[in-house]
Amino acid sequence: MTVKVLLVDDSRVSRMGLKKAIKGVSQEFEISEAENADVAEAYLQDNTADIALIDFNMPGRNGLELVEAIIGQHPDMKYVLVTANIQTSIQEKAKGLGVEFVGKPVNASQLAEVIGGFCD
Amino acid sequence: MINYLNPDEHDLVVELMNIGVGKAAASLSQIADDEVTLCVPKLEFLSYEEAESAFNERLSVALSGVSQEFKGFIGGTATLLFPEARSLDLVTAMLGEELDDDIELDAELEQEVLSELGNILLNNCLSTIANILGESLHTDLPTTFHIESDSLLKHLSKGEEPKSVVVMLLTIDFSLKHKDLSGHLVFTIDFSIVDTFKEALQNYLNELGE
């Protein structure tokens, strides 16, 4: 079964690293990318994803604002905030929205824990 | 040189920076797959002129950097600096095996790597400090630049009048043990909101004393 992952991050380098790490967990993941919240929201108008890995600090809307905008239309998607902004206040806001939190830099075992369950 | 903090506050800032930069160094070590050596942070309060001459004396002439503005109980700019001549080596060290054959190491990618590296290290450091003090900070997106050391302060102070600028210069030199790469972390603080910063430090010190 193919698992669809949407990466939302303004940094191409960060997306490159995440893609490599995801492929390291399993080759079953089909990865799409968006460089900001607007592009991600537009993508999800016509497509679906099983997991969204979303950066916090991005030009325009931040990652949690994106989640608030799309969670109503995509309640079954798993949301993971992947950010270097590891402040407690951000982690608590994420938790309040039901969003998992992973601090950057991401290590492989952490990522496997968060997304690996989809490959079972 | 004027000191805006009492000895306990000064000591606390150095300790917070030690912890914050320690977190950032752990992240750098993970990214570069190398041991990171840190020097003891040096905290100084400098006028514009003093800071300008400090940058000229201590830093390489040509620099590559990434800076990130922050606002909240404390405001200012956090900057990560490397000698420009070693910038591409740094990028190669950072990307490592992620640098596939079909990806060209060009100026654009170099900027993006520096930007993401700054994003991770500066945010890790600032977030750790905010967490310890029980405060929150807003951080802007990172911006990269190439600059000569004699123009650095003008760049960081955003063209503000030199007389109104007080620089809380916190310098931490770091190096990657096996890659012959070193850099500097520099924090410049906006002293128009120093009261909230001192209040946060005092609250923390008071809690320690309870």
Side-chain angles (χ1 to χ4, degrees):
Chain A
M1 188 190 91
T2 303
V3 180
K4 292 181 180 176
V5 181
L6 175 61
L7 299 182
V8 189
D9 197 315
D10 58 312
S11 165
R12 180 164 63 114
V13 172
S14 178
R15 297 197 305 269
M16 281 164 57
L18 280 170
K19 269 196 292 187
K20 189 177 178 65
I22 292 167
K23 290 290 182 189
V25 174
S26 168
Q27 292 292 325
E28 289 174 27
F29 292 105
E30 181 187 305
I31 302 168
S32 303
E33 298 178 50
E35 69 264 33
N36 60 46
D38 290 349
V39 173
E41 195 168 5
Y43 174 85
L44 289 168
Q45 296 293 328
D46 304 317
N47 302 277
T48 58
D50 300 299
I51 315 166
L53 301 181
I54 306 172
D55 185 22
F56 179 72
N57 279 16
M58 293 186 287
R61 286 177 292 169
N62 69 42
L64 291 179
E65 288 169 338
L66 170 63
V67 173
E68 284 173 330
I70 60 179
I71 201 165
Q73 284 84 46
H74 303 275
D76 298 328
M77 189 159 67
K78 179 169 183 171
Y79 296 90
V80 184
L81 196 69
V82 183
T83 177
N85 194 331
I86 55 174
Q87 291 184 68
T88 307
S89 54
I90 306 287
Q91 296 188 42
E92 284 172 354
K93 276 182 206 163
K95 194 176 172 188
L97 286 168
V99 175
E100 285 200 40
F101 187 95
V102 174
K104 282 185 186 176
V106 176
N107 67 51
S109 61
Q110 234 181 337
L111 194 68
E113 201 173 297
V114 171
I115 66 171
F118 280 84
C119 305
D120 296 342
Chain B
M1 187 172 84
I2 315 152
N3 202 344
Y4 286 80
L5 303 177
N6 70 34
D8 282 348
E9 291 166 347
H10 187 283
D11 195 45
L12 176 57
V13 172
V14 172
E15 184 54 20
L16 289 172
M17 286 295 178
N18 253 327
I19 298 169
V21 174
K23 169 68 188 161
S27 298
L28 178 60
S29 176
Q30 186 185 325
I31 295 166
D33 193 23
D34 198 353
E35 188 180 328
V36 176
T37 309
L38 291 174
C39 292
V40 176
K42 186 175 182 183
L43 178 64
E44 301 162 282
F45 292 88
L46 304 174
S47 67
Y48 191 95
E49 291 77 14
E50 287 170 329
E52 204 165 37
S53 63
F55 286 155
N56 279 333
E57 282 166 23
R58 298 177 200 170
L59 302 176
S60 307
V61 174
L63 298 159
S64 291
V66 51
S67 62
Q68 195 155 28
E69 288 185 51
F70 53 93
K71 300 180 202 85
F73 72 100
I74 185 171
T77 306
T79 307
L80 182 65
L81 294 164
F82 297 95
E84 190 175 46
R86 303 304 311 276
S87 178
L88 276 176
D89 293 335
L90 175 75
V91 171
T92 310
M94 295 304 115
L95 283 181
E97 54 188 31
E98 276 153 35
L99 197 60
D100 296 335
D101 292 340
D102 57 340
I103 297 169
E104 198 182 336
L105 184 53
D106 56 12
E108 190 188 343
L109 185 59
E110 181 196 345
Q111 297 293 316
E112 291 193 30
V113 171
L114 277 176
S115 177
E116 184 59 8
L117 182 65
N119 177 45
I120 293 174
L121 301 190
L122 300 174
N123 255 312
N124 275 188
C125 181
L126 292 167
S127 299
T128 301
I129 293 163
N131 287 346
I132 293 169
L133 292 176
E135 301 281 349
S136 61
L137 278 176
H138 167 81
T139 53
D140 283 350
L141 296 169
T143 54
T144 56
F145 55 87
H146 295 279
I147 206 162
E148 300 211 338
S149 57
D150 58 5
S151 305
L152 178 62
L153 188 57
K154 195 173 176 187
H155 176 81
L156 297 181
S157 58
K158 306 278 179 286
E160 275 187 47
E161 283 294 309
K163 280 182 184 169
S164 70
V165 174
V166 174
V167 179
M168 186 185 94
L169 182 62
L170 196 124
T171 320
I172 301 162
D173 294 346
F174 60 90
S175 57
L176 293 171
K177 197 172 180 183
H178 299 107
K179 295 197 171 73
D180 188 27
L181 276 170
S182 60
H184 318 273
L185 269 169
V186 173
F187 293 82
T188 48
I189 304 297
D190 173 5
F191 265 78
S192 62
I193 55 165
V194 71
D195 289 349
T196 53
F197 179 40
K198 281 178 74 80
E199 192 181 317
L201 296 175
Q202 275 304 329
N203 288 341
Y204 184 82
L205 288 168
N206 290 340
E207 279 178 27
L208 285 183
E210 278 171 8

